Amino acid sequence: MLGHVDHGKTSITQCLTGKWTDTHSEEIKRGISIRIGYADVVLKKCPKCLEPGCYTREEKCPKCGSKAEPLRTISILDAPGHETLMTTAIAASSIMDGALLVIAANEECPQPQTLEHLTVLEVLGVKNIVVVQNKVDLVPREKALENYNQIKKFLKGSVAENAPIIPFVANKCANVDALMEAIHKHMPTPQRKLDASPKMYVARSFDINKPGTEISKLSGGVIGGSLIEGVLKIGDEVELRPGIMVGEKGKEEKARPLKVIVERLFAGNEKLTEAHPGGLIAVGTSLDPSITKSDRIVGNLLGKPGDMPPVSNELNLEFHFLKRVDLENAALKPKEPLVLSIGTATAIGFVEGMKKNVVRLMLKRPICVMIGSKLAVSRRINSRWRLSGYGTVK
């Protein structure tokens, strides 16, 4: 769920899933998404209503009252729209199979984050896109049509040029059945590598224990994310890389990978014995919960010991500048700091050398990244970090 700040992403997520994903105290106070929110929903369709039919998440069809039949389960990531939180949105993009791009009808199109989020989708190769034209109730019909034409012009020549555009009213969940239909028809479930060794980006991590819980009753730390490939089972021994940083404060710290046992698996509130790629899962581990509290190990890669990429302090990156009308990209400078968004990790790298379009970067902290991974690059321009380029890890 991508789009400019305050265009209604969290409200639309609630219409689709019934869950309000802004739960952090600072999110509630400021009225914006800061961390990645997520929610699951089972898309259902009435077997009796004629085509296009009635799509719903309820047990019974809202039109005729017949029992609705389940089609598929989807997980929705609600990414922050504010420009200062773009790296969180980019992290969400790395585990997406499709995207809902939200554009408000009562503002000019494109807004800054609308442009940047579409750029992220193109960089990361996300092609299954549905555009949601929200807040059509706030403007006259003529203004809504004018905004629709602005959206079509904005999308022309992009990866979303032929994406369906669904008018929507998030406050009333009006047209939610049409949106569900568009998701089902335009976002097919991709083929997964089930026979590969499991790999999972860690997008969230938690301590689920309530204050005052007795030591004997403490549950291990929980990590959340999405399997890229393979199957994860209860009892599996897995490794988190780069793990945690150890060493004396003020001196060079080193990464220490963590080996843990998978003790519990959940998809939403449903307990699992094994987890497959696609959708979001929560993994209960044997980790001390103090390690996983407050998203402390977000950005780690989970996999089987002995079958993980190395932890590295440097990267060779095949780099490309983004062509942006609102940004003039100068050549990279030696020692220039760059913010790298890789999988669900955010890292700071310094330019050490450049040969043709391959850049060598020294990282402030080590990361674990797979060869061939795509990443987004932000530069500091006029005292702000701006999305400026993308690259492939060589």
Side-chain angles (χ1 to χ4, degrees):
M1 187 76 68
L2 297 173
H4 190 71
V5 63
D6 205 31
H7 275 203
K9 297 182 297 298
T10 304
S11 297
I12 296 170
T13 301
Q14 186 179 37
C15 287
L16 289 168
T17 68
K19 179 181 176 182
W20 185 259
T21 55
D22 284 353
T23 56
H24 189 260
S25 59
E26 191 67 16
E27 293 176 317
I28 295 169
K29 183 168 71 176
R30 294 170 62 185
I32 62 171
S33 298
I34 297 173
R35 298 178 178 179
I36 295 174
Y38 56 85
D40 291 342
V41 60
V42 179
L43 293 185
K44 299 173 184 176
K45 186 180 179 183
C46 176
K48 294 185 178 181
C49 288
L50 299 175
E51 289 295 332
C54 181
Y55 289 78
T56 182
R57 61 179 169 86
E58 305 297 340
E59 291 296 321
K60 293 183 178 181
C61 173
K63 291 182 180 178
C64 71
S66 301
K67 185 177 180 180
E69 295 179 348
L71 297 171
R72 62 199 282 208
T73 301
I74 61 170
S75 296
I76 296 180
L77 284 164
D78 180 16
H82 200 279
E83 186 181 27
T84 56
L85 304 168
M86 269 299 295
T87 52
T88 306
I90 293 166
S93 303
S94 66
I95 53 177
M96 293 193 313
D97 298 317
L100 297 176
L101 182 62
V102 180
I103 301 175
N106 64 333
E107 293 186 15
E108 290 290 316
C109 175
Q111 291 292 308
Q113 277 72 63
T114 313
L115 176 61
E116 295 206 346
H117 282 184
L118 181 60
T119 303
V120 168
L121 294 175
E122 294 199 295
V123 167
L124 297 172
V126 178
K127 297 178 181 178
N128 300 322
I129 299 170
V130 173
V131 177
V132 187
Q133 186 191 21
N134 192 29
K135 303 188 181 184
V136 293
D137 57 321
L138 300 183
V139 295
R141 174 183 170 83
E142 295 74 20
K143 188 70 176 176
L145 288 170
E146 181 186 332
N147 178 259
Y148 173 86
N149 291 325
Q150 288 177 356
I151 294 172
K152 292 293 288 184
K153 185 178 178 181
F154 165 58
L155 299 178
K156 190 172 182 179
S158 75
V159 69
E161 181 173 5
N162 298 317
I165 301 173
I166 309 298
F168 203 81
V169 181
N171 287 338
K172 301 290 185 181
C173 295
N175 226 18
V176 69
D177 55 340
L179 180 55
M180 287 181 170
E181 180 187 1
I183 292 170
H184 184 61
K185 291 184 176 179
H186 295 275
M187 296 184 186
T189 301
Q191 294 293 317
R192 311 290 190 182
K193 295 181 182 177
L194 298 181
D195 55 349
S197 180
K199 299 283 190 306
M200 186 183 97
Y201 286 126
V202 179
R204 298 293 301 269
S205 70
F206 314 90
D207 170 12
I208 61 170
N209 300 288
K210 294 180 179 179
T213 303
E214 294 180 22
I215 291 176
S216 60
K217 295 180 180 178
L218 286 174
S219 296
V222 176
I223 57 179
S226 184
L227 275 171
I228 309 164
E229 58 188 25
V231 176
L232 201 60
K233 300 177 182 178
I234 291 177
D236 282 351
E237 183 185 36
V238 294
E239 187 175 33
L240 289 162
R241 289 192 172 193
I244 57 173
M245 302 304 296
V246 294
E248 293 183 36
K249 195 172 182 180
K251 296 184 179 180
E252 185 179 354
E253 294 180 301
K254 294 184 178 180
R256 189 184 80 189
L258 299 167
K259 288 187 178 180
V260 298
I261 303 296
V262 176
E263 296 184 340
R264 304 175 306 283
L265 288 169
F266 292 89
N269 295 321
E270 182 185 354
K271 289 185 179 180
L272 306 174
T273 55
E274 62 180 48
H276 292 239
L280 297 161
I281 59 170
V283 183
T285 72
S286 55
L287 281 174
D288 185 317
S290 66
I291 294 174
T292 60
K293 67 184 289 187
S294 303
D295 290 335
R296 287 180 64 181
I297 58 170
V298 166
N300 272 265
L301 183 68
L302 178 148
K304 287 290 183 74
D307 192 27
M308 294 278 284
V311 175
S312 179
N313 282 84
E314 59 181 90
L315 286 180
N316 284 326
L317 189 68
E318 186 180 306
F319 179 76
H320 303 277
F321 284 114
L322 290 174
K323 295 179 180 178
R324 294 186 51 172
V325 295
D326 63 332
L327 201 64
E328 187 175 333
N329 264 321
L332 295 176
K333 301 174 184 176
K335 304 298 181 183
E336 179 181 353
L338 303 173
V339 174
L340 313 172
S341 300
I342 315 165
T344 55
T346 300
I348 296 176
F350 297 88
V351 177
E352 284 292 309
M354 190 164 184
K355 190 175 182 181
K356 293 185 178 179
N357 65 333
V358 177
V359 182
R360 186 161 63 89
L361 299 168
M362 294 299 296
L363 303 177
K364 191 172 182 180
R365 282 190 166 189
I367 60 168
C368 179
V369 60
M370 293 183 286
I371 302 297
S373 297
K374 280 190 174 181
L375 56 87
V377 178
S378 299
R379 302 177 72 187
R380 194 170 182 84
I381 299 174
N382 297 329
S383 75
R384 293 167 63 194
W385 291 101
R386 303 297 303 275
L387 181 62
S388 303
Y390 65 97
T392 305
V393 177
K394 305 295 285 184

